[in-house]
Amino acid sequence: MPVVTMIGGGQLARMTHQAAIALGQCLRVLASSETDPAAQVSAEVVIGSHDDLDDLRRAAAGANALTFDHEGVPLDHLVALENEGVTVLPPSKALRFAQDKLAMRTRLSELGLPVPDFVDLSGDPAAARERLRDFGARHGWQIVLKAVRGGYDGRGVWLLDDEQQALTVFDGADDATRLMAEAKVSMRRELSALIARSPFGQGAAWPVVETIQRHGQCAVVLAPAPDLPAEVAEAAQQMALRLADELGAVGVMAMELFETTDGELVVNELAMRPHNSGHWTMDGAVTSQFEQHLRAVLDYPLGATDVLAGPVVMANVLGAGEAPAMSMDERVHHLMGRMPQARIHLYGKAERPDRKIGHVNIVGTPGASIADVRERAELAATWLSTAVWTDGWDAHDD
């Protein structure tokens, strides 16, 4: 059977390995530690660093394809591997646009895709500071400062509304951090268009979903996005498929979008790997994003992306401010007793405040209210996080 190597041993690699098992494969992972989520379950683990070219070579040796559970691998290392004959998917020419927000914004603008107004704040600090002041004044200081590389889950992003705040962030940035600024978007909600593309050029798109963010990270996903006009959903899917084709992306790609108060779409971020907004597909779609990613990088025909039943809601299980005294095993036991329809996915991670340690999927029956499904999913996820039923339910009262 073919061998796929995934760089990174986190939960995305762990869930990709689960999909590989059903296909008769064993995902090889480059993990930083034997305790990484994927290293706990894969039979083929290479311990090393994604920043070390020799470690990458060891992980890639003999593999049919090398892919990623994060975008942090140095681009020059990937180019070196490609020059040595390694099949890197997505290729370095595409992955750079997921690594570099400024390059992504510039390329999307060139392709005529809708993005927020932005400005490059790299180069000479004095000149960049003046560009920031001009840009901020033009937008009434309703702007966002972003690290060009490396930020995620709210890190490296500063939401600002006055000049002094912006200049304080700019002046406090270290020399290694390139910054850019964007205009804030007057938005109704955030959406995600998840697609996959194979080297052959076949594309597939799941229904567009709504994502609910808390403290800068995804907390809840509603699939399909409720009350989204069919023509807007199709436009989002077509934008994502077209962009993947233009960039030469291979595998799963998430295009995160803003739906503006005027009903327009604006592209926010790109991820060229399985994505948090696609975890609902594990239980709610014909083909999960993790199986589809493997199909894509191995150039298999892509799977169907239809929703299996009614609306699906995914809720992330985040580490509580203080880990409950009740063990996770006991919390799982109680959740199974109350909600037998809850699909639990835990990542084998230690509990820390706000750390993603798992997620819960609830698949509604046809015609079910997505609000009701969401309520159950959030109850379940909060219970696993805190050992508290926020609706006051007590198993001993039944």
Side-chain angles (χ1 to χ4, degrees), residues 6-196:
M6 185 165 267
I7 303 304
Q11 63 261 26
L12 298 180
R14 183 185 178 107
M15 291 182 277
T16 304
H17 176 63
Q18 291 173 237
I21 292 170
L23 300 178
Q25 302 170 20
C26 176
L27 187 74
R28 181 190 298 166
V29 296
L30 176 65
S32 60
S33 163
E34 292 177 353
T35 62
D36 284 359
Q40 296 173 24
V41 297
S42 176
E44 195 169 356
V45 181
V46 177
I47 301 298
S49 169
H50 64 267
D51 289 319
D52 188 293
L53 181 55
D54 287 335
D55 289 344
L56 293 168
R57 287 186 175 117
R58 287 192 297 119
N64 297 74
L66 181 142
T67 190
F68 313 94
D69 93 335
H70 63 79
E71 291 102 343
V73 182
L75 211 62
D76 56 351
H77 287 1
L78 299 181
V79 172
L81 293 174
E82 289 167 336
N83 290 337
E84 293 167 10
V86 176
T87 301
V88 176
L89 298 173
S92 60
K93 67 177 184 178
L95 193 66
R96 67 180 291 257
F97 295 106
Q99 291 185 347
D100 187 310
K101 295 180 179 66
L102 182 60
M104 181 267 289
R105 284 279 181 263
T106 302
R107 184 67 181 124
L108 266 60
S109 296
E110 293 169 350
L111 293 171
L113 294 175
V115 297
D117 191 19
F118 66 96
V119 65
D120 180 6
L121 299 178
S122 60
D124 176 69
R129 201 174 195 270
E130 284 307 305
R131 288 198 298 276
L132 171 60
R133 296 184 69 182
D134 290 344
F135 184 83
R138 182 151 47 90
H139 291 284
W141 291 102
Q142 296 301 302
I143 65 170
V144 182
L145 278 182
K146 290 185 175 181
V148 170
R149 300 176 65 89
Y152 70 99
D153 282 350
R155 301 177 184 91
V157 177
W158 298 267
L159 300 174
L160 307 166
D161 53 23
D162 69 55
E163 180 176 3
Q164 190 54 55
Q165 280 183 333
L167 294 178
T168 298
V169 172
F170 179 85
D171 293 338
D174 60 69
D175 293 339
T177 302
R178 289 178 63 205
L179 293 175
M180 61 182 292
E182 294 182 353
K184 285 182 183 176
V185 174
S186 179
M187 67 171 182
R188 178 179 300 159
R189 57 180 168 176
E190 295 189 51
L191 304 171
S192 178
L194 192 75
I195 62 96

Side-chain angles (χ1 to χ4, degrees), residues 296-314:
V297 300
L298 290 170
D299 211 6
Y300 290 170
L302 299 181
T305 53
D306 309 80
V307 174
L308 284 172
V312 187
V313 176
M314 182 227 69

